[in-house]
Amino acid sequence: MQIKGDLMTFRPDIKVLDCTLRDGGLVNSFRFSDDFVRDLYLANIKAGVDYMEFGYKASKELFNVEDYGPWKFCDDEDIRRIVGDNNTDLKISVMADVGRCDYKNDIHPRSESPVDMIRVACYIHQIPAAIEMIEDAHAKGYETTCNIMAVSTVSESQITQALELLCNSNVDGIYIVDSYGSFYPLVTRSLTEMYLGIAEKAGKWIGIHAHNNQQLAFANTMEALTLGASVADVTMCGMGRGAGNCNMELMLSFLRNPKYNIYPVIVFIQKHMNALRKECKWGYDLSYLLTGTLNQHPRDAIEFVTNDREDYVEFYKSLLEKM
């Protein structure tokens, strides 16, 4: 596949999506202060970021509201408390997990909501249910994506079939998702070529959501963008579940589009992120490397880090026993 970019030029189709509140919310149960969220919103506007994801549209029937901050549920009134009418170029997104969202009732028509895009997350066997949610959101007037999780655990034929089904739907974009942080750039290249080969014919764009278990989230994101992916998921200081995500500050430093401005990001990081790091744990650790290289879910590594364990040898042996 032909390279579609280099280090000295920019592609106007590339967009940046900040998912600090959503993926980062998995670290602190979505308990961000309004000052933090408002400052993040303003920093994204000033930095020229294209989308800001506020969190999940989780069902209050399935999750106890008292156990989480508001961004687990993203009620329209909570988003409006921060953005008002959002008369800016920044678009608002939320994520809806298949089986965890009462989308028919909780996702209101676009004309009544401050949200611009619904990102539907699913596993490969949930594609039919994901398409039903996508069609519902599309009918309500939203931009839509499908984020197929854990594709490192499924066959190429399954991915191909899922992509073909999605390309026959009204979805706007499809994400390559490195759920376990197990991808190397060569794997990302192969998947990007596969996704684009099917999606471009149907007029769908491709995005990339990378995790940093092997300190490759930035490298994998660059690889996908260079080959033609259009949307990069990033978070401030890489904040996210376990090893975290591709860093906003790295991405804005890499992209050559003059619309992006890293200075507001630096100001936000200095004001908020260093203090937050003292309260919450995320980022590279040997335990995350081990789950990433073994292509295993990071839940065991998250527990390892949360419990301040240092017995990496025993942890590694326990992972091998699961294979």
Side-chain angles (χ1 to χ4, degrees):
M1 178 170 285
Q2 183 179 3
I3 299 297
K4 297 187 178 180
D6 58 47
L7 293 176
M8 294 303 296
T9 61
F10 77 91
R11 294 204 334 259
D13 62 301
I14 291 180
K15 294 179 173 57
V16 173
L17 186 148
D18 171 44
C19 52
T20 303
L21 294 184
R22 202 272 307 165
D23 214 316
L26 296 169
V27 175
N28 69 346
S29 298
F30 305 91
R31 299 185 186 280
F32 297 99
S33 69
D34 278 6
D35 285 342
F36 179 98
V37 178
R38 190 171 291 107
D39 284 352
L40 179 60
Y41 169 69
L42 294 174
N44 279 323
I45 293 170
K46 294 175 182 178
V49 171
D50 302 279
Y51 290 87
M52 176 176 169
E53 188 160 71
F54 270 69
Y56 284 100
K57 272 287 187 183
S59 170
K60 294 178 183 178
E61 296 295 320
L62 296 176
F63 297 93
N64 186 352
V65 174
E66 295 179 357
D67 292 339
Y68 302 95
W71 313 113
K72 176 75 170 179
F73 308 100
C74 285
D75 291 336
D76 286 345
E77 54 267 30
D78 284 323
I79 297 176
R80 280 203 176 91
R81 190 176 71 246
I82 303 298
V83 308
D85 292 329
N86 188 35
N87 295 319
T88 75
D89 292 332
L90 177 70
K91 292 185 176 182
I92 305 299
S93 77
V94 296
M95 180 166 279
D97 280 350
V98 168
R100 299 180 179 181
C101 173
D102 183 8
Y103 63 95
K104 291 184 178 179
N105 295 311
D106 290 343
I107 297 179
H108 306 136
R110 170 68 188 87
S111 59
E112 302 172 9
S113 172
V115 175
D116 299 287
M117 181 164 70
I118 305 295
R119 302 211 297 171
V120 175
C122 69
Y123 292 101
I124 200 82
H125 66 280
Q126 298 172 320
I127 289 292
I131 290 175
E132 183 176 316
M133 292 175 65
I134 287 163
E135 296 299 346
D136 179 82
H138 174 79
K140 290 174 179 174
Y142 293 97
E143 298 175 38
T144 59
T145 76
C146 186
N147 295 42
I148 312 173
M149 299 182 289
V151 291
S152 61
T153 66
V154 299
S155 68
E156 181 176 328
S157 63
Q158 287 177 303
I159 298 172
T160 298
Q161 185 178 11
L163 293 173
E164 290 173 346
L165 288 170
L166 286 167
C167 285
N168 286 321
S169 77
N170 281 302
V171 75
D172 294 300
I174 305 169
Y175 266 84
I176 301 165
V177 183
D178 184 11
S179 298
Y180 298 171
S182 63
F183 292 173
Y184 293 101
L186 192 61
V187 175
T188 302
R189 171 179 288 263
S190 177
L191 285 171
T192 304
E193 291 175 346
M194 181 197 305
Y195 277 56
L196 284 170
I198 297 172
E200 284 189 328
K201 297 175 184 176
K204 316 297 185 184
W205 54 260
I206 296 300
I208 173 73
H209 181 89
H211 281 268
N212 208 30
N213 298 59
Q214 301 180 90
Q215 300 212 55
L216 290 172
F218 180 51
N220 284 320
T221 302
M222 285 196 301
E223 186 75 10
L225 294 179
T226 300
L227 289 170
S230 299
V231 182
D233 280 12
V234 296
T235 64
M236 296 289 184
C237 290
M239 184 183 187
R241 181 202 66 189
N245 303 88
C246 181
N247 293 48
M248 169 76 79
E249 57 275 20
L250 286 174
M251 185 51 54
L252 294 194
S253 297
F254 167 70
L255 296 175
R256 295 297 179 259
N257 191 333
K259 70 168 283 191
Y260 296 125
N261 179 9
I262 195 174
Y263 183 74
V265 172
I266 297 171
V267 173
F268 178 83
I269 289 173
Q270 178 174 306
K271 182 176 180 181
H272 289 286
M273 298 307 295
N274 290 333
L276 191 58
R277 274 189 181 278
K278 296 177 182 178
E279 301 173 12
C280 311
K281 292 183 178 181
W282 76 86
Y284 172 79
D285 183 85
L286 177 57
S287 59
Y288 294 127
L289 167 66
L290 298 177
T291 57
T293 55
L294 295 176
N295 196 23
Q296 294 187 21
H297 195 287
R299 63 173 66 90
D300 290 333
I302 293 171
E303 181 179 1
F304 181 94
V305 172
T306 300
N307 292 332
D308 294 319
R309 288 176 57 184
E310 296 180 355
D311 54 331
Y312 292 104
V313 173
E314 291 304 315
F315 179 69
Y316 183 53
K317 290 178 181 178
S318 71
L319 294 178
L320 293 176
E321 290 174 358
K322 294 184 177 183
M323 297 186 68

